[in-house]
């Protein structure tokens, strides 16, 4: 494990949200938001309305900028995000997660809590100098984010779809060269 469970989960959630903006957009409906919440069961206030969905969609470019920023710029973006909200840090545990830090109260809007949780996760990324684990997918036709939490730093693609497409293309190129 590179990071703590809550850091990895926050990074996965942020990457999922950012990548949902890729075509076809997978955060267009209430059902899409429910799918996100099924995969990333946030605690606290969840409104499940059009305003919340619009705020989540509007958050995606900002999260992308934070995740892909060079280290010093990432620090600036993290500090800016943390300065925008009233922080009320506390240790909590829920579900299968052991004690971990929630930085804002549960009654804050979900997009704000996601922004702060992403910022908190990126603090660990910055402190460990592990920003290279967050990259753009190696597929030439894809701009999604690939999050590499593997021990050997081998993940290059955002999804199995991109990985398979490139493996097939490489296989066909080898066959054609024979």
């Amino acid at each position: 494990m590179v990071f703590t469970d809550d850091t990895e989960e926050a990074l996965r959630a942020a990457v999922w949200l950012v990548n949902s903006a890729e075509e076809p957009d997978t955060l267009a409906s209430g059902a899409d938001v429910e799918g996100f919440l099924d995969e990333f069961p946030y605690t606290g206030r969840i409104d499940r309305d059009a305003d919340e969905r619009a705020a989540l969609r509007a958050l995606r470019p900002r999260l992308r900028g934070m995740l892909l920023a060079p280290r010093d710029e990432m620090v600036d973006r993290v500090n800016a995000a943390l300065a925008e909200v009233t922080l009320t840090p506390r240790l909590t545990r829920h579900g299968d997660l052991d004690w971990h830090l929630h930085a804002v109260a549960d009654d804050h809007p979900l997009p704000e809590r996601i922004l702060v949780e992403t910022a908190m996760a990126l603090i660990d990324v910055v402190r460990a100098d592990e920003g290279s684990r967050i990259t753009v997918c190696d597929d030439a036709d894809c701009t999604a984010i690939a999050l590499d939490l593997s021990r050997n730093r081998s993940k290059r693609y955002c999804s199995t779809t991109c990985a398979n497409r490139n493996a097939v293309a490489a296989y066909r190129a080898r066959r054609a060269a024979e």
Side-chain angles (χ1 to χ4, degrees), residues 5-109:
D5 290 340
D6 59 317
T7 294
E8 288 187 6
E9 192 70 4
L11 291 171
R12 283 188 184 100
V15 167
W16 190 102
L17 275 176
V18 169
N19 289 348
S20 73
E22 297 293 311
E23 289 299 325
D25 191 317
T26 55
L27 195 63
S29 69
D32 294 337
V33 174
E34 288 304 319
F36 169 74
L37 293 171
D38 285 345
E39 190 162 344
F40 304 99
Y42 278 87
T43 58
R45 175 182 162 192
I46 300 174
D47 297 336
R48 292 182 164 83
D49 60 15
D51 289 342
E52 183 175 76
R53 184 172 62 250
L56 286 169
R57 291 171 57 86
L59 180 61
R60 297 181 300 188
R62 183 166 186 193
L63 291 178
R64 181 180 182 87
M66 289 174 69
L67 291 165
L68 293 176
R71 189 173 188 220
D72 289 349
E73 184 182 330
M74 186 182 284
V75 168
D76 293 340
R77 290 172 183 249
V78 164
N79 285 338
L82 295 175
E84 287 178 21
V85 297
T86 301
L87 300 177
T88 53
R90 70 200 181 289
L91 287 170
T92 185
R93 69 176 164 195
H94 48 82
D96 293 335
L97 292 175
D98 199 3
W99 291 107
H100 60 280
L101 184 67
H102 279 199
V104 294
D106 286 344
D107 62 346
H108 285 244

Side-chain angles (χ1 to χ4, degrees), residues 21 31 34 45 76 81 127 144 152 156 164 166:
E34 288 304 319
R45 175 182 162 192
D76 293 340
R127 288 169 35 138
N152 64 358
R156 298 175 27 216
N164 289 342
N166 282 269

Side-chain angles (χ1 to χ4, degrees), residues 78-160:
V78 164
N79 285 338
L82 295 175
E84 287 178 21
V85 297
T86 301
L87 300 177
T88 53
R90 70 200 181 289
L91 287 170
T92 185
R93 69 176 164 195
H94 48 82
D96 293 335
L97 292 175
D98 199 3
W99 291 107
H100 60 280
L101 184 67
H102 279 199
V104 294
D106 286 344
D107 62 346
H108 285 244
L110 178 62
E112 185 177 296
R113 287 184 287 126
I114 291 171
L115 175 66
V116 171
E117 286 191 20
T118 302
M120 296 296 291
L122 288 174
I123 289 170
D124 289 347
V125 170
V126 168
R127 288 169 35 138
D129 197 13
E130 291 286 355
S132 64
R133 292 184 175 275
I134 308 167
T135 61
V136 175
C137 181
D138 263 4
D139 186 300
D141 297 325
C142 183
T143 59
I145 292 178
L147 176 62
D148 184 1
L149 297 175
S150 66
R151 284 187 194 181
N152 64 358
R153 297 175 178 268
S154 61
K155 186 168 181 182
R156 298 175 27 216
Y157 301 101
C158 66
S159 67
T160 54

